[in-house]
Amino acid sequence: QTPYVMPGQPPSFKYRCRQQYRAMVNLLDGLIGSIVQQLQAKQMWEDTLFILSSDNGGPLVRAESGATNFPLRGGKYSNWEGGIRAAAFVSGGYLPLAMRGKQLDEMVHIADWYATLAALAGVDSHDDLAERSGLPAVDSLDIWPLLSGSVGASPRKELPLGPDAIVGGRWKLLLGAQRWAEWSGPNTPNATGSDDGEQDTALCGSSGCLFDVVSDPGEHTDLSSVHPYRATSLKARLETLSEGFFQNSDRGIDSCPP
């Protein structure tokens, strides 16, 4: 992210964050179009697998970009579907004709692109250096069989989101205090919204809040009292997985807000 994202602006001109974000998306759209045109002009498009993926939902903080993830709950920095459910698409001539224009609702993690591209390139996704350094094994899964139509289901069946959240199949368990528990409207920000994530916090406690994110992607109904065994099972699974979690302290610096 840069403070001057559109060419031709004077050095003294600065966007407000939401305006800057929209300008960045506009610029990105133009750049992608130029890349596609160049690949087509050089007769390379038919051998191209073009992937565009978001990394997370939009941030609800007005000072950042004031996004809306309607009809999902929450946003960036949260474990709610509005924070973790993101859009992606695959295009290019390498994509089988039968899969073009299809919508897939299978579970995929952004990390899965690594193993997928490694497999397409004929490279082993195992990281020997990481293993020698004592780091956890690669979590990425090859999803090309899904994208190419060879199989109908994703190999990924669970998503550990952190020490206090996990998705297993259609079920999602949240533990403790979960911030940004609000629902954005289709027109956001507006007078009813809040910039305070603490103000919209769901207290899920140690037993957790359980949601069926297939039938209830907006996370309106906590089913922990209806399916306590599922909540208990997911919590146990999360505790097992958390033993292999790895985190570092690297943090980037956003240009807006500074």
Side-chain angles (χ1 to χ4, degrees):
Q1 297 182 9
T2 60
Y4 311 110
V5 296
M6 295 296 286
Q9 296 292 351
S12 60
F13 183 81
K14 290 185 178 181
Y15 289 100
R16 290 172 297 181
C17 293
R18 193 174 193 195
Q19 185 180 20
Q20 175 177 319
Y21 183 82
R22 291 187 173 189
M24 291 166 59
V25 173
N26 183 60
L27 177 61
L28 176 65
D29 183 59
L31 292 173
I32 290 174
S34 296
I35 292 172
V36 171
Q37 289 174 2
Q38 288 296 317
L39 288 170
Q40 292 172 337
K42 294 179 180 296
Q43 307 298 314
M44 298 172 64
W45 182 247
E46 291 305 311
D47 298 317
T48 296
L49 182 67
F50 192 95
I51 301 168
L52 183 65
S53 176
S54 179
D55 53 350
N56 46 249
L60 304 182
V61 184
R62 297 180 194 178
E64 189 165 346
S65 65
T68 175
N69 299 296
F70 177 83
L72 303 178
R73 190 176 189 179
K76 185 179 180 179
Y77 313 117
S78 80
N79 292 317
W80 302 103
E81 291 297 281
I84 68 167
R85 187 180 290 227
F89 73 80
V90 178
S91 185
Y94 193 77
L95 187 68
L97 188 62
M99 296 303 293
R100 299 178 192 179
K102 279 197 172 185
Q103 178 176 318
L104 300 177
D105 295 317
E106 293 295 307
M107 182 187 297
V108 171
H109 192 286
I110 194 170
D112 294 334
W113 293 121
Y114 168 68
T116 303
L117 294 174
L120 286 170
V123 178
D124 187 357
S125 62
H126 179 76
D127 193 330
D128 294 323
L129 177 59
E131 183 179 40
R132 292 195 300 270
S133 302
L135 297 176
V138 172
D139 293 310
S140 184
L141 299 175
D142 178 11
I143 59 170
W144 178 244
L146 171 68
L147 298 178
S148 63
S150 299
V151 300
S154 171
R156 181 164 295 284
K157 306 302 180 185
E158 63 182 8
L159 287 172
L161 304 176
D164 58 351
I166 184 173
V167 180
R170 66 187 301 132
W171 301 98
K172 180 179 184 179
L173 180 71
L174 302 175
L175 300 168
Q178 296 290 331
R179 302 179 66 221
W180 301 109
E182 65 180 86
W183 289 271
S184 301
N187 298 310
T188 301
N190 53 49
T192 62
S194 169
D195 273 348
D196 185 3
E198 302 293 347
Q199 179 176 322
D200 301 292
T201 298
L203 302 177
C204 293
S206 59
S207 58
C209 300
L210 183 71
F211 299 95
D212 181 344
V213 291
V214 173
S215 64
D216 178 27
E219 297 168 296
H220 291 274
T221 306
D222 177 10
L223 298 174
S224 57
S225 61
V226 181
H227 301 287
Y229 63 99
R230 293 194 183 277
T232 301
S233 177
L234 281 173
K235 183 178 180 181
R237 178 59 177 161
L238 180 59
E239 290 173 350
T240 299
L241 291 173
S242 64
E243 296 176 2
F245 283 0
F246 171 78
Q247 297 184 34
N248 63 33
S249 58
D250 294 344
R251 297 293 183 271
I253 300 176
D254 291 334
S255 65
C256 198

